[in-house]
Amino acid sequence: MVEGWADAVDAAEGRGDWGEAILAITPVAECDSSDYVRSDAHLWHMDLLAKAGRLDELTTRAGTDRHARRRLDRLLYEEGLDNDLRCRAQTGDKYALYLLVRLLRRKGEQAAAVQTVAEIDERDAYALEPAHEPLDRHRLPQAPPG
């Protein structure tokens, strides 16, 4: 394994030099490796791709790599890209469906969340339950005025 790779990735990430960080971690990262260091590096690699905004690369990898798929879905959720999540959910990506429901609810669109589950997979109890919960459930309490 390349010596000092983690320090090089850390330093590049600290500078926001995503290209350099990705270049330094790529030779070490290995999906589903029995070596936990390589496996952890793979997860870090997926996070770096997301931070770099490399949606195309994450999307390409998502076809065969569940870690890339999940990281892509989380990135789409974090960016509020409900249409992109919807497209992924419509192709059978369950995690995208769950995140889409959460995103719609976060936006206060409960009816849209319920409709989305009905359209994509009306039998998915894991998606149905949060879609039908009252909007005030799971919200943080408001701080008292003053």
Side-chain angles (χ1 to χ4, degrees):
M1 203 174 305
V2 181
E3 287 294 316
W5 67 269
D7 291 336
V9 176
D10 260 340
E13 187 176 18
R15 293 189 308 272
D17 187 346
W18 308 121
E20 183 63 32
I22 291 166
L23 189 63
I25 204 167
T26 298
V28 181
E30 185 179 318
C31 185
D32 293 326
S33 175
S34 59
D35 177 345
Y36 75 91
V37 172
R38 289 184 175 277
S39 186
D40 285 350
H42 176 69
L43 298 176
W44 193 2
H45 185 201
M46 297 305 103
D47 281 339
L48 290 170
L49 290 173
K51 288 177 181 178
R54 294 190 182 181
L55 290 175
D56 290 343
E57 190 170 348
L58 273 173
T59 301
T60 299
R61 289 174 177 269
T64 58
D65 181 335
R66 71 182 184 283
H67 304 108
R69 179 182 52 81
R70 291 179 64 85
R71 190 59 186 97
L72 173 61
D73 290 346
R74 281 196 329 269
L75 178 62
L76 296 173
Y77 172 81
E78 292 161 1
E79 297 293 323
L81 300 172
D82 53 324
N83 288 331
D84 292 339
L85 277 173
R86 182 180 309 279
C87 289
R88 296 189 55 74
Q90 288 171 328
T91 62
D93 185 339
K94 295 291 190 184
Y95 190 54
L97 175 59
Y98 307 148
L99 290 177
L100 177 58
V101 168
R102 287 177 55 195
L103 178 59
L104 292 171
R105 289 183 48 77
R106 189 179 82 195
K107 291 179 170 184
E109 300 175 16
Q110 183 175 13
V114 171
Q115 181 65 33
T116 295
V117 175
E119 291 171 357
I120 296 175
D121 189 352
E122 64 188 16
R123 297 174 311 219
D124 189 327
Y126 193 74
L128 275 172
E129 184 179 332
H132 286 284
E133 288 177 350
L135 282 177
D136 60 352
R137 187 162 177 189
H138 302 295
R139 289 197 178 172
L140 295 175
Q142 296 293 320

